[in-house]
Amino acid sequence: MQNENELGDYLRARRAAVAPVDIGLPDGGPRRVPGLRRDEVALLAGMSTDYYIRLEQGRERHPSEQVLRAIAGTLRLDDAATAHLFRLGLSVVGTAAAAATVAPELLRLMDGMRDVPAFVVGAAQDVLAANAMARELYRGFDRYDNLLRMIFLDPFARDFYGDWDQAARIAVGNLRASSSQFPQDERIERVVGELSVRSPAFTGLWARYEVRPRTHEDKHFRHPQVGELRLHFESLAVTSAPGQHVSFYSAEPGSATADALVLLGCLSEREAASTEQTNPLVEGEFRS
């Protein structure tokens, strides 16, 4: 996943994503390459074309904060994308390692949540823990283990997600954000490596280099048993465990989805009762 000119790769990908009309330049008709030309970025950022070319080619390794901020403005980078540009351009070292173990207190909190799906994911989007409602929500997948693998490698995802393209794009942008925070994380590298080999769709989205941490959004699911679900998603960082986020889904009160969540809860309770009969929990063990 790491290379010798990641800054150049990032600049080229983000430059290709900006249309000339987006920044007030006249539409000159078809271009040989998508997005802005290097001389246009240089002009708008207030630097020489030669200097910008050396940045993209990796021959200039020490840009100033002023230069990076000018480029970020020209390429219309948001806060997360700008922060990633600064990490690359200023050689800022990210967090050394992401946490892989979920605290017992958090497990206990989620286990007590009976009305909403809740789960914890790690930096590589591995599902580290989930309550009964979350497991029931994702029951149609072959494995409920890694959100990226589920989206790109499990055929059920195409039916489950109301807008698969959007779900895939958001998931990849979120993984990019994690890889920016944890550039040496071996688990992230393994996930990227596997998906790059097995999923052309992932490879194409990864090459776009969109850095977008997922914090909240509205989701549309098609559950095989309870039907359509339109849920609001919130993701909260676990400050005591770097890289971990606890995620919750909720429904608008009185909506059809709220009724569907009640049915989903009944199904999860039935499944939990069946599991307890075949494999009783010992005292103090969490259902997660």
Side-chain angles (χ1 to χ4, degrees):
M1 187 172 67
Q2 301 297 318
N3 58 64
E4 294 183 356
N5 188 24
E6 193 170 2
L7 174 62
D9 291 346
Y10 187 51
L11 291 174
R12 282 189 292 273
R14 302 322 305 150
R15 175 166 60 85
V18 180
V21 294
D22 293 339
I23 56 174
L25 293 177
D27 185 1
R31 295 185 169 214
R32 291 185 301 171
V33 294
L36 299 176
R37 297 192 300 265
R38 290 181 292 188
D39 63 315
E40 292 171 333
V41 175
L43 176 65
L44 293 170
M47 63 191 68
S48 71
T49 300
D50 178 68
Y51 180 82
Y52 181 78
I53 290 175
R54 285 189 282 120
L55 273 179
E56 278 203 4
Q57 293 178 343
R59 293 185 291 121
E60 171 55 59
R61 300 278 185 173
H62 303 289
S64 67
E65 291 187 21
Q66 181 180 3
V67 164
L68 294 175
R69 198 163 298 281
I71 292 174
T74 299
L75 297 180
R76 300 297 192 264
L77 302 184
D78 60 18
D79 290 345
T82 298
H84 184 68
L85 176 65
F86 270 66
R87 289 191 186 102
L88 296 177
L90 301 178
S91 300
V92 177
V93 179
T95 305
T101 303
V102 181
E105 296 80 7
L106 185 53
L107 291 173
R108 189 160 52 241
L109 173 65
M110 286 197 308
D111 194 54
M113 304 177 85
R114 307 290 184 180
D115 300 327
V116 297
F119 56 98
V120 177
V121 295
Q125 298 302 288
D126 292 313
V127 179
L128 303 179
N131 69 357
M133 283 280 281
R135 292 195 300 272
E136 194 61 43
L137 175 63
Y138 288 97
R139 187 166 299 281
F141 286 90
D142 180 53
R143 301 201 314 267
Y144 182 29
D145 55 355
N146 179 281
L147 297 179
L148 273 297
R149 189 204 63 77
M150 292 160 63
I151 290 172
F152 287 98
L153 301 183
D154 193 320
F156 178 72
R158 297 280 182 169
D159 296 324
F160 179 73
Y161 290 98
D163 188 338
W164 184 90
D165 290 332
Q166 180 184 28
R169 186 174 64 254
I170 290 173
V172 173
N174 194 41
L175 186 65
R176 270 291 188 190
S178 291
S179 71
S180 174
Q181 184 180 2
F182 303 98
Q184 306 299 326
D185 189 88
E186 294 182 358
R187 176 57 186 160
I188 293 177
E189 291 187 357
R190 288 198 299 270
V191 170
V192 172
E194 178 186 6
L195 292 175
S196 296
V197 170
R198 300 181 61 187
S199 173
F202 173 84
T203 303
L205 288 172
W206 188 251
R208 292 172 61 172
Y209 227 129
E210 293 182 346
V211 180
R212 297 188 183 276
R214 184 176 68 160
T215 56
H216 63 275
E217 61 178 305
D218 293 323
K219 306 284 287 186
H220 176 203
F221 299 135
R222 302 189 193 97
H223 192 275
Q225 291 178 277
V226 304
E228 301 280 334
L229 290 165
R230 296 186 181 276
L231 298 165
H232 181 72
F233 169 86
E234 288 285 342
S235 178
L236 306 176
V238 182
T239 56
S240 60
Q244 289 186 14
H245 287 78
V246 58
S247 303
F248 306 93
Y249 287 116
S250 62
E252 186 71 24
S255 65
T257 293
D259 294 336
L261 274 187
V262 173
L263 177 56
L264 191 74
C266 293
L267 293 174
S268 67
E269 290 176 1
R270 185 184 308 167
E271 178 65 25
S274 174
T275 301
E276 287 176 356
Q277 288 178 0
T278 57
N279 185 25
L281 292 171
V282 298
E283 184 177 358
E285 184 178 352
F286 303 117
R287 299 188 210 114
S288 54

